Each structure stands twice: as C-alpha cells, then as structure tokens.
Amino acid sequence: MLDIEFMRECTPLFYKAISLTLYISFFGICFSLLIGFIFAWILFLKVRFLSSIVSFYVELARNTPLLIQLFFLYYGLHNITHIQLSPYTCAIVGLSFLGGGYMCESFRSSLCAIAPSQIQAAQSIGLKSYQIMYYVLLPQGLAIAMPSICANVLFLLKETSVVGVIALADIMFVAKDIITTYHKTNEALAMLVCCYLVILLPLSILFSLLEHFYKKRVL
C-alpha cells in the first residue's frame, strides 16, 4: 500500500520540481524552434558554406546524448575556456542544442516535401521570393512538420529528466532524493509518474487536436 500521507507531505517538493522542469523546457523548446527554423531554411536554400556547417551541427546534436552535452557545458567548458555557466544556463543551452538539430530536420523535411511545381506556379504569377516563402512554403511546411514538431516537444520535455546531473532539482532529482533519504520507493515512483502524466498527457492531447485542425485548414 502507498503511504498517501507521506505523498501529500512531499507534494510541495514536486510542485517546485515541476516549475523548474517547465521553466527549462519552455526556453529550451523556444530556442530549439528558432534554431531549427533558421537552419532548415539554410539547408533548403542550399546556402554555400553555411549548409556544410549546419549539416555538421545537426549530426552532432542528434548523435550525442543530452547527458554528455550537459557534462561538457557544466564541467568541460570551464576547463577549456574558464567560463563557468550556471546550471540553469547549461540546461537551457544543452536542451536548445539538442532540440535544434531535431527541429531543423523536421522543418527541412517538410519544406522538401512541397512539390517544386507549386514554387514554379507562384513564380509564374509574379510572386517574389519572400511572398513565396510566406504564402506557399511556410503554411504548407508547418502543416506537414506539425506531427514531427509536436513529437520533438514531448521528447525534449522528457529529456529534462537528466538535468539533475548538474545539481538541478527537477522531477527525477526529487524522486531519487526521496528514495535515498526516506526509502519510499513506491511512493516516489508513483508521484514521478503522476508528475510526467500531468505535464505530458494534456500536451499530447492538445497537439493531436492542433495537428488535426492545422491539416484541415491548410492541406
């Protein structure tokens, strides 16, 4: 049986942990979207020299774990450059670095999925490059990329579970601390699962509705 009274007493700790997780996730995901969008356009337009750099970044970001990136930012960067970033900054930068690679591929693949004939048709009626981007490529690209973007957002939210390695009291950190201190494993794990469900389940439902609405309106 679960100790409900103990779980009730620990609830404030998880409230703070949820706030921290959402804070890091919000900024990390926003920067990921910005990075991914800009870099996707560079790859789509095949900008010379920059495309090679962006391709290298995407492969590096997607093929290295967030845990390793956090270790480098928090411990390794200081040894190399003598720059000491705060744990919050490291978490946001690491999440943005990781997420930017995934978001870039989501945006790029969606832009490449648009038929070239649509661009040619827009050019034939006299639309300028920025008008083609705004009226033709962007609406359809976002609609195609929406499922992938939503999946990436949920993925990045779950990836915040490793920020405890740089002394941030996120949800996972608090659960592990309770298990170590009070030996209440079942209670801690139950609250851990509930916390992630409270965050992720509403977002998952919202994203499903958003995908359906956006595809119906645009595609």
Side-chain angles (χ1 to χ4, degrees):
M1 294 291 292
L2 295 176
D3 188 343
I4 303 300
E5 184 59 33
F6 176 81
M7 294 173 66
R8 188 179 297 113
E9 292 175 0
C10 292
T11 299
L13 296 175
F14 282 96
Y15 282 152
K16 292 180 181 179
I18 289 174
S19 299
L20 173 66
T21 298
L22 291 177
Y23 174 82
I24 294 171
S25 299
F26 175 78
F27 286 103
I29 290 168
C30 287
F31 288 131
S32 296
L33 289 167
L34 180 62
I35 293 169
F37 183 75
I38 294 173
F39 284 3
W41 278 109
I42 291 174
L43 292 177
F44 179 72
L45 298 175
K46 298 179 181 178
V47 180
R48 295 181 64 182
F49 180 68
L50 288 179
S51 294
S52 299
I53 297 176
V54 171
S55 297
F56 174 77
Y57 156 73
V58 170
E59 294 303 318
L60 179 64
R62 296 200 307 159
N63 290 286
T64 53
L66 179 60
L67 183 63
I68 304 301
Q69 296 170 10
L70 292 178
F71 273 132
F72 173 78
L73 290 169
Y74 193 65
Y75 300 107
L77 188 63
H78 176 67
N79 294 330
I80 297 172
T81 63
H82 300 289
I83 297 174
Q84 183 64 62
L85 300 178
S86 70
Y88 289 97
T89 304
C90 288
I92 293 171
V93 171
L95 201 65
S96 303
F97 183 84
L98 175 70
Y102 284 95
M103 294 297 184
C104 178
E105 281 298 284
S106 296
F107 285 120
R108 185 196 62 79
S109 60
S110 65
L111 291 172
C112 291
I114 299 173
S117 58
Q118 296 198 39
I119 300 175
Q120 295 167 1
Q123 291 172 335
S124 68
I125 61 175
L127 292 182
K128 296 181 180 180
S129 297
Y130 72 90
Q131 292 176 316
I132 294 174
M133 180 181 71
Y134 186 78
Y135 292 109
V136 179
L137 295 177
L138 191 58
Q140 294 185 71
L142 285 175
I144 296 170
M146 191 62 66
S148 179
I149 291 172
C150 293
N152 288 338
V153 169
L154 296 177
F155 164 72
L156 292 174
L157 273 164
K158 289 183 284 188
E159 280 294 290
T160 58
S161 61
V162 302
V163 299
V165 299
I166 54 173
L168 288 175
D170 71 311
I171 302 171
M172 181 67 74
F173 183 92
V174 170
K176 290 167 64 178
D177 189 52
I178 290 174
I179 293 172
T180 303
T181 305
Y182 301 102
H183 305 289
K184 296 284 189 177
T185 303
N186 293 335
E187 288 78 3
L189 293 179
M191 296 192 73
L192 178 66
V193 171
C194 289
C195 287
Y196 277 112
L197 283 176
V198 166
I199 296 173
L200 296 173
L201 190 57
L203 280 176
S204 181
I205 296 171
L206 176 63
F207 287 156
S208 297
L209 295 174
L210 184 62
E211 290 171 25
H212 179 73
F213 173 79
Y214 206 86
K215 284 187 176 181
K216 189 176 180 180
R217 292 290 298 272
V218 178
L219 298 180

